[in-house]
Amino acid sequence: MKNSRIAGVGHYVPEQVVANSDLEKLMDTTDEWIVERTGIRERRYFNYKKDTCSNMATEATRMALERAKLKAEEIDLIVFATITPDYMFPGSGVLMQRELGLDKKAIAAIDIRNACSGFIYGLSIADQFIKTGMYKTIAVVGSEIQSSAMEFSDRQRHVSVIFGDGAGAAILQATDEAGKGILSTHLHSDGTFAEELYVKDPGSSRKREERLTPEMLEGVSIKAHMNGNLVFKHAVIRFMEVITEALATNRKKKEDIDLLVPHQANLRISNFIQQKLKLEEGKVYNNIQHYGNTTGASIPIALSEAWAEGKIKENDLICLAAFGSGFTWASALINW
Ligand code: UT7
C-alpha cells in the first residue's frame, strides 16, 4: 500500500493588514482586550478587486507546487476546504481547477465544509485516495474570506475581531517509502453542538417565504453566532483527546513531537495545550498574532510559514490538530 507524503506547502495572504487599533475605530473594543483574550494583533482582509476564495487557494497551490518541484498538470484531484466559497454552488474546487488550467484534464474536485477542521478532514480524504492507489498527486487546500461576512458592531465584536482571510495548500504525493508521510488521521464530530457556532441563514431550514427576508439583513441570523465560552471549553478537551489518540495509535510519546501545528483559534487554547502536554518552547507553532483565525486555512498557512522558517525538516514528526464548528475535531500525525 502507498503512503502519502507532503511534497510541498504554500500559502497566500491578502496585502491589507488590519490592526486591532483599526477595529477600535469601528466598535467598542480595545487592542488590550483582543491581545489578552485571543493573542491576535492583526489580520489580513481581502481586496475584492483581486482576491477570491478560489484564486487565493490557487496562489497558495502554485507556491506549494513550486516548492515541491511539480507542475499543476500532475495534480489528479483537488480537495478544497472552505466555509466561505465563492458561490453558494458550485464549490470553489472546480473554480480552482479552472484557474490552474486543469479543466482540460477534467480532474475531480471535492469541496468540504468542515470549518476549522476542514483541512485535516481534507488531508484524510486525500490520504485514503492515495492509499487505495486511485490518485498519485493531490492538492489539499484551505481558503477563506471571512472579513466581508463580519459585522463591525458592538453586538458582533466577540466574533468580528477574531476572523481573518487567507489560503494555504499542501501537495500530497504517493510514496512507497514505509513509515513516511501521513502516519494517521483521526476525525470526529458531535452534531449536538451544531448551533453553538454557526451561520443560520439563508439556509434551507426555513419555509419557502422565510428563506431570505429583508428583516434578516438587520438581524444577526446571517452572521456567525458563536457561544465563545462553550466552544473554548470543548476545544481544549477535544484538542487534547485527539492529539493523545494520534500519539497512542502510532506508539509515540509527546516528547517525540518535533512541531505541533494547531488550528489557530485562540493563542490561549494553543498555550493551554502546550502546558498540558508539557511541550517545550518552540514546539508549538503559532501565527494567529498576524492572521487571526482563518478557519480552514489556518493550519496550511501555519505549515507553510513554519516550513519556510526552517521549523519543519525532513523526517520531523509533525502533529496537526483542529477543533471547530459542528463540533468537529481532528488530528494528523506526519513523518515529514
Ligand atoms: O475556530 C473555531 C473555534 N473557535 C474557538 O475556539 C473560539 C473559542 N472561544 C474564544 O476564543 C473566546 O471565547 C472568545 C475570544 C470568543 C471570547 O473570549 P472570552 O474570554 O471567552 O470572553 P467572553 O465571551 O466571556 O466575554 C468577556 C467580556 C464580556 O463582557 P462582560 O459581560 O464581562 O461585561 C464581553 O461582552 O468581554 C466582552 N467582549 C469584548 N470586549 C471588548 C467580548 N468581545 C469583546 C471585544 N472587545 N471584542
Side-chain angles (χ1 to χ4, degrees), residues 6 8-12 57 59-62 64 96 119 139-142 167-171 297 300-301 303-304:
I6 309 240
V9 280
H11 71 284
Y12 172 90
E59 287 304 314
T61 302
R62 288 195 202 284
M96 177 170 132
F119 181 76
V140 182
V141 301
I171 307 294
I301 295 173
L303 276 178
S304 174

Side-chain angles (χ1 to χ4, degrees), residues 26-42:
L26 303 173
M27 65 193 106
D28 182 14
T29 192
T30 59
D31 174 56
E32 193 187 4
W33 189 95
I34 302 171
V35 172
E36 189 186 311
R37 301 296 176 114
T38 71
I40 300 165
R41 293 184 179 274
E42 58 193 25

Side-chain angles (χ1 to χ4, degrees), residues 11-275:
H11 71 284
Y12 172 90
V13 289
E15 277 164 31
Q16 191 192 356
V17 178
V18 177
N20 293 344
S21 55
D22 296 317
L23 298 182
E24 283 177 357
K25 295 173 196 139
L26 303 173
M27 65 193 106
D28 182 14
T29 192
T30 59
D31 174 56
E32 193 187 4
W33 189 95
I34 302 171
V35 172
E36 189 186 311
R37 301 296 176 114
T38 71
I40 300 165
R41 293 184 179 274
E42 58 193 25
R43 69 288 290 143
R44 302 295 180 100
Y45 282 1
F46 84 123
N47 173 349
Y48 78 99
K49 289 188 183 149
K50 184 165 163 253
D51 304 315
T52 64
C53 180
S54 55
N55 74 21
M56 294 197 314
T58 303
E59 287 304 314
T61 302
R62 288 195 202 284
M63 184 190 280
L65 284 166
E66 199 182 311
R67 288 172 174 176
K69 299 186 176 58
L70 292 170
K71 294 198 166 52
E73 299 72 54
E74 291 173 80
I75 297 173
D76 303 315
L77 169 71
I78 291 166
V79 183
F80 201 117
T82 186
I83 52 167
T84 54
D86 301 57
Y87 306 134
M88 289 291 280
F89 69 86
S92 294
V94 297
L95 304 180
M96 177 170 132
Q97 185 236 42
R98 186 173 67 189
E99 283 163 31
L100 284 172
L102 295 173
D103 42 337
K104 318 282 178 296
K105 246 183 104 187
I107 65 158
I110 302 171
D111 270 51
I112 50 174
R113 294 168 44 81
N114 292 77
C116 304
S117 309
F119 181 76
I120 301 182
Y121 266 74
L123 275 187
S124 184
I125 291 166
D127 186 36
Q128 312 313 315
F129 276 119
I130 285 177
K131 283 197 165 74
T132 60
M134 184 153 167
Y135 297 120
K136 288 192 176 64
T137 305
I138 303 179
V140 182
V141 301
S143 182
E144 306 282 3
I145 292 181
Q146 296 284 6
S147 61
S148 53
M150 294 298 121
E151 180 179 282
F152 300 110
S153 68
D154 295 354
R155 69 178 180 180
Q156 277 293 99
R157 63 181 180 172
H158 62 296
V159 174
S160 40
V161 300
I162 291 174
F163 293 96
D165 305 337
I171 307 294
L172 268 59
Q173 272 217 309
T175 174
D176 291 316
E177 217 180 314
K180 183 78 182 164
I182 297 177
L183 304 178
S184 69
T185 53
H186 290 92
L187 312 178
H188 297 283
S189 69
D190 185 351
T192 314
F193 302 100
E195 287 79 17
E196 302 295 347
L197 176 49
Y198 82 135
V199 178
K200 182 172 177 142
D201 291 315
S204 59
S205 66
R206 293 186 190 269
K207 60 184 175 185
R208 184 182 171 81
E209 54 277 27
E210 287 176 5
R211 178 141 181 181
L212 184 59
T213 65
E215 294 76 51
M216 273 177 197
L217 301 178
E218 303 301 322
V220 285
S221 70
I222 57 167
K223 303 292 172 193
H225 163 78
M226 176 163 72
N227 183 348
N229 280 246
L230 185 102
V231 175
F232 194 104
K233 282 178 194 142
H234 282 260
V236 289
I237 294 166
R238 297 308 194 182
F239 263 112
M240 289 301 297
E241 277 179 12
V242 81
I243 293 168
T244 308
E245 190 178 16
L247 291 172
T249 301
N250 294 286
R251 296 195 170 84
K252 301 278 187 199
K253 299 189 294 294
K254 51 193 188 203
E255 301 78 48
D256 297 329
I257 297 175
D258 291 300
L259 194 68
L260 171 66
V261 183
H263 161 55
Q264 303 291 295
N266 186 319
L267 193 58
R268 285 192 290 141
I269 295 179
S270 287
N271 291 344
F272 177 88
I273 304 165
Q274 177 157 12
Q275 281 161 18

